[in-house]
Amino acid sequence: MDFAAAFTRDPQAAPYPVRCDASAAAAFAVLAAVLALTVDDGRAPDALGWALLLAAHVPLAWRRRAPMPVLLAMVACVVPYHALDYMHLAPIPASMTALYTVASTGRPRRTLFVGLSVTSVTLTIQVFVNPHEMVELLRVSGWVIAMLVFGASIRLYRQLVAGVMERAEREAERKVAEERLRIARDLHDLLAHSITLIGVQTSVAAHVLVADPDRLDREALVKALDGITETCREARSEVRTTLDVLRATPEGPLPDLASLPDLVRTSGADLTVRTGAAKVPAAVGAAAYRIVQESLTNAVRHGSPGADLSVDVGLEKDVLTVRVTNGGSAPGGTGGSGGTGGSGYGILGMRERARSVGGTLSAGPRDGGGFEVAAELPLPGREVTV
């Protein structure tokens, strides 16, 4: 039996409470009979004494279902039993159990009321039966108070454990929600980038086919179709990696700075990485990768044809900087990355990416024309050099 679980769980929610309590009541009745026959603490029970003693144990079968009625029923049997000066020790285990149940399942005010009432009744009976036994009066009162305090302490401990478990469940739910948001951003970035590139490459292939059918540029057509195939392969691989993370059995690492050359190559942008041999945490590297990916996706989707795209990633003290610059101009003056006023979630998702690792991100038109996305991602644990 797990005693820790017995003390921490709600006794009224335990399985088969009546069956378990009935077995305990039978065991207490046997113990009371043994005490009545072997201990000299009052006169031996006669027929009435045995009837009162055994009847006092019957309500214990429902002690967790109805603590107060059980206690009152026991008091109705135990008070005349003690008043007739039968062997006093016999019903004590069952009486203490009923008191403990009331204290461990009720509110403090009820526990205090029960304690005062039971102590008053007990002392009154003791005064009439043994008026000269002051030590016995203190001993009985001490047992009653100790059992009530023990039951109240167990109740408070259960409330504390329940509160801790509730906070742990809320924290787990919060982490699940954050993980779902992260996965949604991953899938959004991945699919938006891949579908945009596939659309561009498909447009190139269609243009080659219809521009001059008599002088079909087979090499350009094959290159466009190969690009579509490669983009689909990369998208499938990253989707599989994301799903493997959900299954807690990842087959490969999350995208990082080492994956930037392959990402930038598909968009034709110029890439500059100035991180040297510094080790970038996986979360920061993945955030930088996704920011670059989303920026290039928006640039290809909204930017002017032939615009100059450049990606610069560097380290400045303890901060990883990411700059994606589009020298073209999108329709409506929104810039190559879709603008801040668009209806999509591109820039919002990039800001959430940066915020998830404690960084910041800005996006907007450049003074000399075009559009720029700039992010600063701090590296945790890295010493600042002055």
Side-chain angles (χ1 to χ4, degrees):
M1 179 180 179
D2 190 348
F3 289 99
F7 281 120
T8 56
R9 71 186 177 191
D10 184 1
Q12 295 174 319
Y16 311 112
V18 176
R19 182 189 305 176
C20 296
D21 290 339
S23 301
F28 280 124
V30 172
L31 176 62
V34 172
L35 292 175
L37 294 174
T38 58
V39 177
D40 184 13
D41 185 23
R43 66 192 185 95
D46 52 16
L48 177 59
W50 283 111
L52 291 173
L53 181 61
L54 296 178
H57 290 77
V58 175
L60 283 180
W62 295 273
R63 69 180 183 90
R64 281 184 283 186
R65 288 287 181 85
M68 277 302 297
V70 166
L71 179 62
L72 294 176
M74 287 196 65
V75 169
C77 297
V78 170
V79 167
Y81 178 89
H82 285 299
L84 295 172
D85 198 23
Y86 292 118
M87 209 290 293
H88 297 288
L89 185 61
I92 294 300
S95 302
M96 294 297 107
T97 301
L99 285 173
Y100 161 78
T101 304
V102 170
S104 63
T105 58
R107 289 178 290 184
R109 183 178 300 177
R110 189 181 77 174
T111 302
L112 179 61
F113 173 76
V114 169
L116 293 175
S117 301
V118 172
T119 303
S120 301
V121 172
T122 303
L123 292 179
T124 301
I125 295 174
Q126 191 69 23
V127 166
F128 282 104
V129 176
N130 295 312
H132 304 294
E133 295 288 341
M134 296 302 298
V135 175
E136 184 67 17
L137 289 174
L138 296 176
R139 183 175 66 85
V140 173
S141 302
W143 274 109
V144 171
I145 295 173
M147 191 55 61
L148 291 174
V149 170
F150 177 65
S153 301
I154 294 299
R155 178 180 56 80
L156 293 176
Y157 176 67
R158 286 174 180 149
Q159 291 178 349
L160 176 63
V161 171
V164 171
M165 294 181 64
E166 184 180 357
R167 287 193 296 271
E169 290 175 358
R170 288 201 301 266
E171 180 66 16
E173 291 175 356
R174 184 185 65 81
K175 290 183 177 180
V176 168
E178 290 179 353
E179 184 65 12
R180 287 177 177 173
L181 180 60
R182 185 189 67 80
I183 293 169
R185 288 197 298 261
D186 276 343
L187 292 178
H188 170 270
D189 296 344
L190 167 65
L191 296 179
H193 177 76
S194 301
I195 292 173
T196 299
L197 289 181
I198 290 174
V200 172
Q201 292 159 345
T202 303
S203 299
V204 172
H207 176 75
V208 170
L209 286 174
V210 302
D212 192 354
D214 296 333
R215 300 175 58 186
L216 183 62
D217 190 345
R218 296 181 180 273
E219 183 177 350
L221 180 61
V222 170
K223 183 178 180 181
L225 295 177
D226 287 343
I228 294 174
T229 302
E230 181 65 23
T231 302
C232 291
R233 185 181 300 111
E234 292 176 358
R236 183 172 61 250
S237 176
E238 291 202 32
V239 169
R240 184 183 298 115
T241 299
T242 302
L243 295 179
D244 287 337
V245 170
L246 284 177
R247 300 186 186 103
T249 56
E251 295 178 358
L254 292 174
D256 54 12
L257 300 183
S259 306
L260 285 179
D262 292 335
L263 173 67
V264 173
R265 175 175 49 82
T266 59
S267 61
D270 296 328
L271 173 64
T272 303
V273 179
R274 301 176 289 102
T275 57
K279 185 177 181 181
V280 177
V284 177
Y289 179 92
R290 293 306 187 192
I291 290 172
V292 172
Q293 183 182 54
E294 178 66 19
S295 299
L296 294 178
T297 298
N298 290 339
V300 172
R301 182 187 301 162
H302 302 288
S304 303
D308 295 329
L309 293 176
S310 64
V311 177
D312 182 88
V313 179
L315 274 178
E316 296 180 3
K317 296 184 179 180
D318 61 339
V319 176
L320 181 71
T321 61
V322 179
R323 296 185 185 279
V324 182
T325 304
N326 179 11
S329 178
T334 58
S337 288
T340 59
S343 59
Y345 296 96
I347 293 179
L348 177 62
M350 287 189 289
R351 285 203 177 99
E352 290 296 330
R353 283 281 180 191
R355 191 179 295 116
S356 68
V357 293
T360 59
L361 182 138
S362 61
R366 302 171 60 203
D367 293 338
F371 198 88
E372 182 179 74
V373 175
E376 294 184 353
L377 311 177
L379 304 184
R382 185 178 175 86
E383 296 183 356
V384 180
T385 57
V386 180

Coordinates of all heavy atoms in Angstrom, one line a residue, residues 333-364:
G333 N 4.5 50.5 -52.3 CA 5.4 51.0 -51.4 C 5.6 50.2 -50.1 O 6.1 50.8 -49.1
T334 N 5.1 49.0 -50.1 CA 5.2 48.2 -48.9 C 6.6 47.6 -48.7 O 6.9 47.2 -47.6 CB 4.2 47.1 -48.9 OG1 4.4 46.3 -50.0 CG2 2.8 47.6 -48.9
G335 N 7.4 47.6 -49.7 CA 8.7 47.0 -49.6 C 8.7 45.5 -49.9 O 7.8 44.9 -50.0
G336 N 9.9 45.0 -49.9 CA 10.1 43.6 -50.4 C 9.7 42.6 -49.4 O 9.7 41.4 -49.8
S337 N 9.4 42.9 -48.2 CA 9.1 41.9 -47.3 C 7.7 41.9 -46.8 O 7.2 41.4 -45.9 CB 10.0 42.0 -46.0 OG 11.3 41.6 -46.3
G338 N 6.9 42.5 -47.7 CA 5.5 42.5 -47.4 C 4.9 43.6 -46.6 O 3.8 43.8 -46.5
G339 N 5.8 44.4 -45.9 CA 5.4 45.5 -45.2 C 4.8 45.2 -43.8 O 4.4 44.1 -43.5
T340 N 4.7 46.2 -43.0 CA 4.2 46.0 -41.7 C 2.7 46.1 -41.7 O 2.0 45.7 -40.7 CB 4.8 47.0 -40.7 OG1 4.5 48.3 -41.2 CG2 6.2 46.8 -40.6
G341 N 2.1 46.6 -42.7 CA 0.7 46.8 -42.7 C 0.0 45.7 -43.5 O -1.2 45.8 -43.7
G342 N 0.6 44.7 -43.9 CA 0.0 43.6 -44.7 C -1.0 42.8 -43.8 O -1.0 42.9 -42.6
S343 N -1.8 42.0 -44.4 CA -2.8 41.2 -43.7 C -2.2 39.8 -43.3 O -2.9 39.1 -42.6 CB -4.0 41.0 -44.6 OG -3.7 40.4 -45.8
G344 N -1.0 39.5 -43.8 CA -0.5 38.2 -43.5 C 0.2 38.2 -42.1 O 0.2 39.1 -41.3
Y345 N 0.8 37.0 -41.8 CA 1.4 36.8 -40.5 C 2.9 36.8 -40.5 O 3.6 36.3 -39.6 CB 0.9 35.5 -39.9 CG -0.6 35.5 -39.6 CD1 -1.5 35.0 -40.5 CD2 -1.1 36.1 -38.4 CE1 -2.9 35.0 -40.2 CE2 -2.5 36.1 -38.1 CZ -3.3 35.6 -39.1 OH -4.7 35.6 -38.8
G346 N 3.5 37.2 -41.7 CA 4.9 37.0 -41.9 C 5.8 37.8 -40.9 O 6.5 37.2 -40.1
I347 N 5.6 39.1 -40.8 CA 6.4 40.0 -39.9 C 6.0 39.7 -38.5 O 6.9 39.6 -37.6 CB 6.2 41.4 -40.3 CG1 6.8 41.7 -41.6 CG2 6.8 42.3 -39.2 CD1 6.7 43.1 -42.1
L348 N 4.7 39.5 -38.2 CA 4.3 39.1 -36.9 C 4.9 37.8 -36.4 O 5.4 37.7 -35.3 CB 2.8 39.0 -36.8 CG 2.2 38.5 -35.5 CD1 2.5 39.6 -34.4 CD2 0.7 38.3 -35.6
G349 N 5.0 36.8 -37.3 CA 5.7 35.6 -36.9 C 7.1 35.8 -36.7 O 7.7 35.2 -35.8
M350 N 7.8 36.6 -37.5 CA 9.2 36.9 -37.3 C 9.5 37.6 -35.9 O 10.5 37.3 -35.2 CB 9.8 37.7 -38.4 CG 9.9 36.9 -39.7 SD 10.8 37.8 -41.0 CE 9.6 39.1 -41.4
R351 N 8.6 38.5 -35.6 CA 8.8 39.2 -34.3 C 8.6 38.2 -33.1 O 9.3 38.2 -32.1 CB 7.7 40.3 -34.2 CG 8.1 41.5 -35.0 CD 7.4 42.8 -34.4 NE 7.8 44.0 -35.2 CZ 7.1 44.5 -36.1 NH1 6.0 44.0 -36.5 NH2 7.6 45.6 -36.7
E352 N 7.6 37.3 -33.3 CA 7.4 36.2 -32.3 C 8.6 35.3 -32.2 O 9.0 34.9 -31.1 CB 6.2 35.4 -32.6 CG 4.9 36.2 -32.4 CD 4.7 36.6 -30.9 OE1 5.1 35.9 -30.0 OE2 4.0 37.6 -30.7
R353 N 9.2 35.0 -33.3 CA 10.5 34.2 -33.4 C 11.6 34.9 -32.5 O 12.2 34.3 -31.7 CB 11.0 34.1 -34.8 CG 10.2 33.1 -35.6 CD 10.6 31.7 -35.3 NE 9.9 30.7 -36.0 CZ 9.9 29.4 -35.8 NH1 10.6 29.0 -34.8 NH2 9.2 28.6 -36.6
A354 N 11.8 36.2 -32.8 CA 12.8 36.9 -32.1 C 12.5 37.0 -30.6 O 13.4 36.8 -29.8 CB 13.0 38.3 -32.7
R355 N 11.3 37.3 -30.3 CA 10.9 37.4 -28.9 C 11.0 36.1 -28.1 O 11.3 36.1 -26.9 CB 9.4 37.9 -28.8 CG 9.0 38.4 -27.4 CD 7.6 38.9 -27.4 NE 7.5 40.1 -28.1 CZ 6.7 40.2 -29.2 NH1 6.0 39.2 -29.7 NH2 6.7 41.4 -29.9
S356 N 10.8 35.0 -28.8 CA 10.9 33.7 -28.2 C 12.3 33.4 -27.6 O 12.5 32.6 -26.7 CB 10.5 32.6 -29.1 OG 11.5 32.4 -30.2
V357 N 13.4 34.0 -28.1 CA 14.7 33.9 -27.6 C 15.2 35.1 -27.0 O 16.4 35.3 -26.8 CB 15.7 33.4 -28.7 CG1 15.3 32.0 -29.3 CG2 15.7 34.4 -29.9
G358 N 14.3 36.0 -26.6 CA 14.7 37.3 -25.9 C 15.2 38.4 -26.8 O 15.8 39.3 -26.3
G359 N 14.9 38.3 -28.1 CA 15.5 39.3 -29.0 C 14.4 40.3 -29.5 O 13.2 40.2 -29.1
T360 N 14.8 41.1 -30.4 CA 13.9 42.1 -31.0 C 14.0 42.0 -32.6 O 15.0 41.6 -33.1 CB 14.2 43.5 -30.5 OG1 15.6 43.8 -30.9 CG2 14.0 43.6 -29.0
L361 N 13.0 42.6 -33.2 CA 13.0 42.6 -34.7 C 12.3 43.8 -35.2 O 11.3 44.2 -34.6 CB 12.3 41.3 -35.3 CG 12.3 41.2 -36.8 CD1 12.7 39.8 -37.3 CD2 11.0 41.6 -37.4
S362 N 12.9 44.5 -36.2 CA 12.3 45.6 -36.9 C 12.2 45.3 -38.4 O 13.1 44.7 -38.9 CB 13.1 46.9 -36.6 OG 14.4 46.8 -37.1
A363 N 11.2 45.9 -39.0 CA 11.0 45.7 -40.4 C 10.4 46.9 -41.0 O 9.4 47.5 -40.4 CB 10.2 44.5 -40.7
G364 N 10.9 47.4 -42.1 CA 10.3 48.6 -42.7 C 11.1 49.1 -43.9 O 12.2 48.5 -44.2

